Amino acid sequence: MASLDFESENALYESTKLKTVARVKELYFKLLLAYKNIDGIKERGSLFSKVEEAALSLYSLGRGSLHDVIIAQTKKYILVEKEEMLKQKIRSLQAMLNALLGRDVNSPLERPIHLPSTKLHYDIESLLSLSYERSPEVKVKENMLKAAKTKLEMAKRE
């Protein structure tokens, strides 16, 4: 019974470790996505600056309308606002990642790099069976069930 309890605790530890690794990866890729979104916004912002300049030039020459200038400026400032929101999201994600890793939440983190994707050579059925076989949570429940059966048998013997 003690060995089953030990196995349950060990499986629980493994489960916690896997969940922590998964959460770190999730936050890392959210951080990467936020940086990529900022890059895209900066590119679009430079395009809208050029559109704004062109609209202002045409308006100053009397060939364009003020409406076109205002639309270009509005879209440009909307992008600036989105960029600022993403910067706040980055700070929040960095703080969560630092806290999860046991660091000071204000510790600086470098910009994440894009990692190459890996191909899985499994179908969904084999992945499901592998996850069931290797899942620490399933092992915890199985060991708890075995321990309960052992306790029941001990109680019957008494």
Side-chain angles (χ1 to χ4, degrees), residues 53-70:
E53 288 175 22
L56 279 170
S57 297
L58 289 173
Y59 179 70
S60 65
L61 295 172
R63 295 183 185 165
S65 69
L66 182 61
H67 179 71
D68 294 335
V69 174
I70 292 172

Side-chain angles (χ1 to χ4, degrees), residues 30-46 79-91 111:
K30 282 184 177 183
L31 194 59
L32 177 66
L33 179 64
Y35 274 110
K36 293 282 186 185
N37 285 337
I38 284 180
D39 293 343
I41 284 175
K42 286 182 179 179
E43 287 177 21
R44 285 186 285 165
S46 66
L79 287 177
V80 169
E81 182 181 356
K82 284 182 182 180
E83 183 180 358
E84 189 56 38
M85 289 172 58
L86 281 170
K87 286 179 181 177
Q88 290 174 356
K89 183 177 181 177
I90 286 172
R91 287 190 292 273
R111 181 184 172 132

Side-chain angles (χ1 to χ4, degrees), residues 15 24 34 36 43 49 52 67 69 73 96 100 107 120:
S15 174
V24 166
K36 293 282 186 185
E43 287 177 21
S49 292
E52 178 189 14
H67 179 71
V69 174
Q73 289 175 341
M96 287 190 286
L100 188 62
S107 295
L120 295 177

Side-chain angles (χ1 to χ4, degrees), residues 132-151:
Y132 180 76
E133 291 169 13
R134 296 180 183 173
S135 172
E137 291 178 356
V138 171
K139 288 179 185 175
V140 166
K141 298 298 181 188
E142 287 175 348
N143 289 335
M144 289 173 69
L145 182 62
K146 288 177 186 176
K149 285 180 181 179
T150 305
K151 287 177 187 177

Side-chain angles (χ1 to χ4, degrees), residues 5 19 25 33 40 44 50 86 93 99-100 111 113 121-122 130-131 141-142 145-146 150 157:
D5 285 341
K19 285 180 183 178
K25 287 180 180 181
L33 179 64
R44 285 186 285 165
K50 291 176 184 175
L86 281 170
L93 287 169
L100 188 62
R111 181 184 172 132
I113 57 170
H121 302 288
Y122 299 101
L130 276 174
S131 66
K141 298 298 181 188
E142 287 175 348
L145 182 62
K146 288 177 186 176
T150 305
R157 286 182 193 159

